[in-house]
Amino acid sequence: MAHILVVEDDMDIAQGIAEFLEPKGHELDFAYTGKQALILLEQNRYQLVLLDINLPFVNGYDVCRQLSDNALGQHLAKIPVIMMSSRSHEQDILQGFASGAWDYLKKPFSFAELTARIDVGLMKSMPPTTPTDVITFDNVALDPETLLLTYQNTSLQLHNIGYEILKLLISQAPGVVKTQTLHAHLWPDETPDSDPLRAHIYKLRKQLKAHFDEDFIETIKGVGYKFTLARNHVV
């Protein structure tokens, strides 16, 4: 099964997760502070991270941000992160997605729900079992094996969810992808509360703009999004 890092400072919750997931065959490591989590992430290869927000020293938002911004290495940007928190306000949830989390699970949660979220995260992070063609549009290329977006001889390492968004947009370019289609692709079982897609699109646009000096993603009001190059933008 999967090698999972559980970052949780509440010993009772951590023990409950261990008692539920370990009999299913998952190998678990535990961190009780943000600093411990960052050390373990540099030392080990994980397939998924369960991450609390209210952590000593370095909070969950900052841990997740360092992962998704490649601060700890490109391979770590591919790890799906499920945030676990009692914070239920919309702003907290959107901040979690903006920091790079794949999913957001409100405490208290059932272990059945936790398992379902883990299964989806692991499925999305699995490498292709057969060779997959690079997805291209004009002179933009998206590599499904490395999660690299290349444009004009410059490449950007994407996080899993950023890759999934761009994969759908580029494969349908220059057509429009409906918001509902993106939601169904990213969260096939159940769309998380609030509107995580907007937060992910916002974060992705910032990364693209900083790296390529254009964000490629055009909003079609009331419909969805499309992938477009600057010269194709409607003025």
Side-chain angles (χ1 to χ4, degrees):
M1 298 295 282
H3 192 190
I4 298 173
L5 176 62
V6 180
V7 189
E8 172 59 70
D9 65 339
D10 187 313
M11 299 295 184
D12 291 334
I13 294 176
Q15 182 177 350
I17 291 172
E19 291 175 352
F20 187 78
L21 292 182
E22 285 180 340
K24 295 181 178 297
H26 295 299
E27 179 185 352
L28 306 182
D29 288 345
F30 291 89
Y32 304 101
T33 71
K35 286 184 178 179
Q36 288 179 346
L38 293 172
I39 291 171
L40 286 172
L41 284 162
E42 288 186 295
Q43 294 176 342
N44 300 280
R45 293 271 180 163
Y46 296 104
Q47 292 161 279
L48 186 134
V49 177
L50 299 177
L51 180 63
D52 186 25
I53 293 176
N54 296 322
L55 298 168
F57 306 114
V58 181
N59 66 39
Y61 294 133
D62 289 335
V63 172
C64 193
R65 195 173 294 113
Q66 290 194 48
L67 279 174
S68 62
D69 288 346
N70 302 329
L72 301 177
Q74 290 187 351
H75 70 282
L76 291 174
K78 303 177 184 178
I79 303 174
V81 175
I82 300 176
M83 280 193 165
M84 311 176 296
S85 178
S86 57
R87 298 185 181 185
S88 58
H89 290 99
E90 181 181 48
Q91 188 57 41
D92 296 319
I93 298 169
L94 290 176
Q95 186 175 349
F97 285 115
S99 68
W102 182 281
D103 204 349
Y104 194 105
L105 192 57
K106 294 180 185 177
K107 297 178 180 177
F109 51 79
S110 71
F111 288 122
E113 182 181 9
L114 176 63
T115 299
R117 305 281 181 115
I118 289 173
D119 289 345
V120 171
L122 291 175
M123 180 180 66
K124 290 287 187 181
S125 66
M126 288 178 60
T129 55
T130 57
T132 307
D133 292 336
V134 173
I135 303 166
T136 61
F137 173 69
D138 207 316
N139 57 348
V140 176
L142 183 64
D143 191 323
E145 294 189 5
T146 62
L147 306 193
L148 285 175
L149 179 73
T150 302
Y151 175 58
Q152 295 182 341
N153 299 317
T154 301
S155 295
L156 170 66
Q157 178 70 61
L158 297 167
H159 192 264
N160 273 290
I161 203 159
Y163 165 78
E164 291 293 338
I165 290 170
L166 287 176
K167 179 177 75 171
L168 200 54
L169 295 179
I170 293 174
S171 64
Q172 299 299 317
V176 178
V177 178
K178 293 182 178 180
T179 301
Q180 300 95 312
T181 302
L182 281 162
H183 274 294
H185 177 73
L186 296 170
W187 300 282
D189 291 334
E190 179 184 2
T191 299
D193 293 337
S194 186
D195 188 359
L197 180 60
R198 282 190 303 158
H200 284 300
I201 292 285
Y202 174 76
K203 179 179 177 64
L204 183 56
R205 278 174 164 157
K206 286 184 64 177
Q207 292 175 327
L208 294 169
K209 183 69 174 177
H211 209 78
F212 300 110
D213 199 29
E214 59 177 295
D215 60 36
F216 300 119
I217 302 172
E218 181 180 353
T219 300
I220 308 302
K221 190 173 181 180
V223 181
Y225 302 89
K226 66 184 293 187
F227 187 90
T228 183
L229 300 179
R231 64 178 179 271
N232 296 326
H233 276 226
V234 177
V235 180

